[in-house]
């Protein structure tokens, strides 16, 4: 899945946390902003309440269920700046999309 396909899927399934702006930063691969205030998902690198840092490769593994979120966090492969509960809520939304 490409980043643009991910954005479209998240937008179609309301893949955001209501009232929160959460940016997933993929480093050199860019970022996505799940904006629960504007109820949209885009590739904007705008300000966010919480920023999740992860490589695109690790993101794909996480999305496919091949990488455990807690293990990724504990090993430093997934970093969170801001409210970790926002990241957990977004993770729950994303897990629902996989089901």
């Amino acid at each position: 899945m490409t980043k643009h396909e991910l954005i479209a899927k998240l937008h179609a399934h309301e893949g955001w946390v209501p009232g929160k702006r959460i940016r997933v930063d993929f480093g050199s691969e860019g970022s996505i902003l799940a904006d629960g205030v504007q109820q949209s998902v885009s590739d904007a690198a705008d300000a966010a309440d919480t920023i999740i840092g992860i490589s695109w490769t690790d993101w794909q593994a996480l999305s496919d269920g091949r990488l455990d979120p807690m293990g990724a966090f504990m090993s430093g492969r997934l970093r969170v700046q801001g409210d970790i509960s926002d990241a957990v809520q977004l993770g729950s939304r994303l897990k629902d999309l996989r089901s």
Side-chain angles (χ1 to χ4, degrees):
M1 174 179 303
T2 68
K3 187 173 71 164
H4 292 290
E5 290 170 335
L6 174 62
I7 290 169
K9 183 176 183 178
L10 289 173
H11 188 74
H13 293 93
E14 298 182 359
W16 54 75
V17 177
K20 301 290 183 170
R21 288 187 172 104
I22 303 171
R23 184 163 38 98
V24 182
D25 184 347
F26 303 114
S28 63
E29 299 292 327
S31 62
I32 61 171
L33 179 66
D35 189 336
V37 175
Q38 298 292 322
Q39 298 183 343
S40 66
V41 181
S42 69
D43 62 354
D46 295 344
D49 301 308
T50 300
I51 301 170
I52 300 168
I54 188 169
S55 72
W56 179 249
T57 302
D58 284 345
W59 174 265
Q60 290 177 318
L62 192 70
S63 298
D64 294 342
R66 294 178 285 122
L67 179 61
D68 173 62
M70 185 56 73
F73 180 75
M74 296 302 286
S75 68
R77 293 169 69 179
L78 182 147
R79 299 159 314 283
V80 178
Q81 292 177 307
D83 191 343
I84 195 162
S85 68
D86 291 347
V88 171
Q89 288 179 55
L90 182 62
S92 294
R93 299 288 303 221
L94 298 174
K95 187 176 179 181
D96 290 344
L97 291 179
R98 270 197 328 214
S99 303

